């Protein structure tokens, strides 16, 4: 509808150019938006204001010239000029009624867009070190990354989701040391357990497993060899648990990429050499430094320490080079908010590798405050006690967890109340939306049982002109805006846009259902209303699917 209004205004402007009431020239970008207040019409354009600079005349005069040339159309009831020159359009019900048929006809493709034009995009998210179970913060990042991938795909991009396994370096060695020391404790050897080792109970569980596998003589062997065996075993076990937790959370990846593979293939060394060849890596104080200040970073960054060991930054440079070599037009990383200071240096490395900064995006996911009945859930980092993603899913379910994680913009902190997420009422956002889908299923089955319709298929024989109530038109307007919200979400990389849309649609449906009967004594009216609520059901399903949330048939 917005496209139609835009075309109508542009055609009117061209006619105004031809008859001399406007000066012919470049037509600036214009917007067609829904006014804030219903009294201002259904749609409004700022064409007159953005044209004032070209026309050298007051916007209201421009608006009058355009309105005088508007082609009369049946679905436009009236046009008004408001304020400094806004052109407001008041549309008839007949303008909106065909949307229902479009939803029913396109079904699962309704809302799909081609804005991505099949450009290859990679979304890398979670990528937690395999040194411990996924916690609640990882859960929010997983929900965001997975949903961003779904939405981009629905918007026409060729999307690949990836998990980067940090299976090399100091943290993996610390994991091996932690398990090795706990294992020796169990074997009765007296020792001090350092505070910088991992403290969680899961470390003791891993020590039990490997001791059972290797036998009681295992703690007697050389420490270095024991640590390496423990590190490999523990990382493998933890990664398997991470995979399972993500699967239970409804998250799947197209690829799991190993950091160690970058070293094994020589990619890290090659990346550093390539930068050295172009004088973008230099030596100072026995270390190798990347000239990240050349690309806007606050200081240069070490890639090889003076002890000869590479930094995590070095492998990240090689990894992102490898991403673009795979043909991705754009790469998106989902990180925790504590990695904010890392963005500029990695962006510098992307530009240094010959790509544009706009081809690299970082989504920073803020912290989650876990509550129970409004009170903070106590956690002790020092003791290694934390709430895992598995704990959350086990308690509130996958759907509620994902929906709650996406209920606010990821760049804002989130209060996640476990008790609210379990409630079966309108206070629980996911229940409020899912209940619409389930309720409409019940309405349709009731209509079928009463013999009003032989089967639930309304693509034929429906008289949508019967949909005239204000609440019906409001519902249809919201349905009509679904694709726009998908594109907005894809453009901004904000999944909560879809959350907000679904909540708005659910609220409008509840308001409609409380005021009007869907099944009436009038078969024609009933069929039209059944068609409308089926359209709502389909859009609810499509939207929930983008967020990785199910659409239940009954609750």
């Amino acid at each position: 509808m917005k496209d139609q209004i835009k075309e109508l205004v542009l055609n009117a402007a061209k006619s105004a150019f031809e008859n001399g009431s406007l000066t012919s020239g470049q037509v600036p970008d214009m917007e067609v938006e829904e006014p804030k207040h219903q009294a201002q019409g259904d749609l409004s354009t700022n064409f007159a204001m953005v044209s004032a600079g070209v026309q050298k005349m007051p916007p209201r005069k421009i608006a009058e010239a355009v309105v005088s040339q508007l082609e009369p159309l049946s679905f436009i009831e009236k046009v008004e000029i408001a304020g400094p020159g806004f052109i407001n359009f008041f549309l008839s019900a007949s303008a909106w009624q065909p949307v229902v048929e479009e939803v029913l006809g396109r079904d699962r493709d309704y809302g799909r867009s081609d804005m991505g034009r099949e450009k290859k995009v990679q979304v890398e998210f979670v990528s937690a070190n395999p040194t411990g179970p996924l916690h609640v913060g990882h859960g929010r990042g997983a929900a965001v990354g997975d949903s961003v991938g779904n939405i981009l795909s629905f918007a026409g991009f060729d999307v690949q989701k990836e998990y980067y396994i940090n299976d090399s370096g100091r943290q993996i060695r610390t994991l091996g040391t932690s398990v090795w020391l706990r294992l020796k404790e169990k074997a009765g050897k007296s020792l001090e357990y350092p505070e910088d080792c991992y403290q969680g109970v899961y470390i003791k569980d891993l020590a039990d497993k490997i001791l059972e596998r290797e036998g009681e003589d295992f703690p007697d062997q050389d420490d270095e060899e024991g640590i390496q065996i423990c590190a490999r075993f523990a990382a493998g076990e933890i990664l398997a648990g991470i995979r399972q937790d993500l699967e239970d959370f409804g998250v799947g990846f197209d690829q799991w990429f190993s950091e160690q593979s970058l070293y094994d293939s020589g990619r890290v060394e090659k990346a550093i050499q390539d930068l050295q060849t172009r004088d973008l890596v230099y030596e100072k104080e026995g270390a190798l430094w990347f000239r990240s200040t050349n690309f806007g970073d606050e200081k240069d960054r070490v890639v090889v320490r003076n002890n000869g060991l590479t930094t995590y930054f070095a492998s990240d440079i090689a990894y992102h080079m490898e991403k673009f070599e795979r043909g991705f037009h754009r790469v998106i990383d989902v990180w925790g908010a504590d990695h904010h200071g890392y963005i500029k240096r990695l962006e510098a490395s992307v530009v240094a590798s010959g790509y544009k900064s706009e081809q690299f995006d970082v989504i920073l996911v803020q912290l989650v405050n876990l509550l129970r009945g409004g009170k903070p859930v106590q956690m002790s980092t020092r003791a290694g006690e934390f709430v895992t993603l598995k704990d959350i899913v086990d308690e509130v379910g996958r759907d509620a967890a994902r929906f709650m994680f996406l209920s606010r913009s990821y760049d804002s902190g989130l209060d996640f109340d476990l008790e609210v997420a379990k409630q079966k009422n309108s206070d629980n956002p996911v229940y409020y939306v899912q209940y619409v889908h389930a309720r409409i299923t019940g309405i349709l089955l009731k209509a079928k049982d009463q013999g009003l319709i032989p089967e639930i298929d309304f693509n034929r024989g429906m008289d949508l002109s019967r949909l005239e109530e204000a609440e019906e038109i409001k519902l249809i307007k919201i349905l009509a805006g679904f694709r726009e919200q998908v594109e907005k979400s894809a453009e901004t990389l904000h999944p909560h846009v879809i959350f907000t849309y679904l909540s708005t649609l659910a609220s409008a449906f509840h308001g409609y259902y409380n005021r009007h009967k869907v099944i009436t004594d009038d078969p024609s009216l009933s069929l039209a209303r059944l068609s409308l609520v089926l359209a709502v059901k389909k859009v609810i399903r499509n939207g929930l699917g983008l967020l990785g949330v199910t659409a239940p048939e009954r609750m």
Side-chain angles (χ1 to χ4, degrees), residues 420-434:
V420 171
K422 291 187 290 186
Q423 291 177 9
K424 306 294 184 184
N425 57 39
S426 60
D427 291 335
N428 181 352
V430 70
Y431 184 87
Y432 187 69
V433 174
Q434 285 181 320

Side-chain angles (χ1 to χ4, degrees), residues 238-408:
I238 291 172
L239 187 60
I242 288 173
R243 285 177 181 263
Q244 187 61 56
D245 289 348
L246 289 170
E247 183 180 329
D248 293 341
F249 195 47
V251 174
F253 292 92
D254 299 298
Q255 177 153 309
W256 294 71
F257 192 100
S258 163
E259 179 187 9
Q260 185 61 46
S261 72
L262 294 169
Y263 289 97
D264 295 342
S265 64
R267 279 190 170 273
V268 177
E269 184 179 0
K270 182 180 182 300
I272 295 171
Q273 289 175 349
D274 287 347
L275 293 171
Q276 277 182 302
T277 301
R278 292 185 285 132
D279 195 31
L280 293 175
V281 165
Y282 64 93
E283 185 176 350
K284 185 179 78 171
E285 299 173 353
L288 295 180
W289 298 70
F290 169 58
R291 297 185 190 276
S292 52
T293 51
N294 286 13
F295 306 94
D297 196 9
E298 61 182 357
K299 62 182 180 180
D300 292 344
R301 306 292 178 174
V302 176
V303 290
V304 181
R305 299 185 181 92
N306 55 18
N307 61 4
L309 296 177
T310 55
T311 61
Y312 282 115
F313 181 43
S315 56
D316 281 339
I317 292 174
Y319 178 41
H320 284 74
M321 283 184 176
E322 196 275 345
K323 289 184 179 189
F324 284 108
E325 288 171 9
R326 277 188 261 161
F328 291 111
H329 177 265
R330 183 182 181 193
V331 297
I332 301 167
D333 292 357
V334 180
W335 299 346
D338 55 336
H339 288 77
H340 180 270
Y342 205 75
I343 296 176
K344 205 64 185 177
R345 73 188 71 173
L346 198 49
E347 182 182 284
S349 76
V350 168
V351 177
S353 301
Y355 303 96
K356 297 177 181 179
S357 60
E358 55 263 32
Q359 290 181 267
F360 172 64
D361 291 287
V362 175
I363 291 172
L364 288 176
V365 180
Q366 295 293 327
L367 296 175
V368 178
N369 301 312
L370 204 59
L371 309 174
R372 188 180 295 281
K375 297 180 180 179
V377 175
Q378 296 298 319
M379 292 179 282
S380 171
T381 304
R382 174 175 289 273
E385 297 172 0
F386 53 88
V387 178
T388 66
L389 174 59
K390 185 179 187 304
D391 293 334
I392 299 292
V393 174
D394 286 348
E395 181 167 351
V396 306
R398 184 182 92 183
D399 287 344
R402 289 187 66 129
F403 211 62
M404 293 291 280
F405 281 136
L406 298 169
S407 62
R408 293 197 68 189

Side-chain angles (χ1 to χ4, degrees), residues 433-496:
V433 174
Q434 285 181 320
Y435 187 65
V436 172
H437 190 272
R439 169 166 272 181
I440 292 173
T441 300
I443 295 170
L444 296 171
L445 289 174
K446 181 180 179 182
K448 186 177 179 181
D449 289 343
Q450 291 183 3
L452 295 175
I453 46 177
E455 58 184 70
I456 303 174
D457 178 8
F458 307 108
N459 287 314
R460 301 176 189 153
M462 52 192 177
D463 182 6
L464 297 178
S465 67
R466 302 298 304 276
L467 300 174
E468 298 179 307
E469 299 289 346
E471 292 82 7
E472 290 169 338
I473 301 304
K474 180 180 179 180
L475 264 180
I476 299 173
K477 285 182 182 180
I478 297 172
L479 295 177
F482 182 46
R483 191 186 75 174
E484 183 180 7
Q485 295 305 306
V486 169
E487 291 180 345
K488 178 182 177 182
S489 183
E491 183 179 357
T492 61
L493 303 181
H494 275 287
H496 84 280

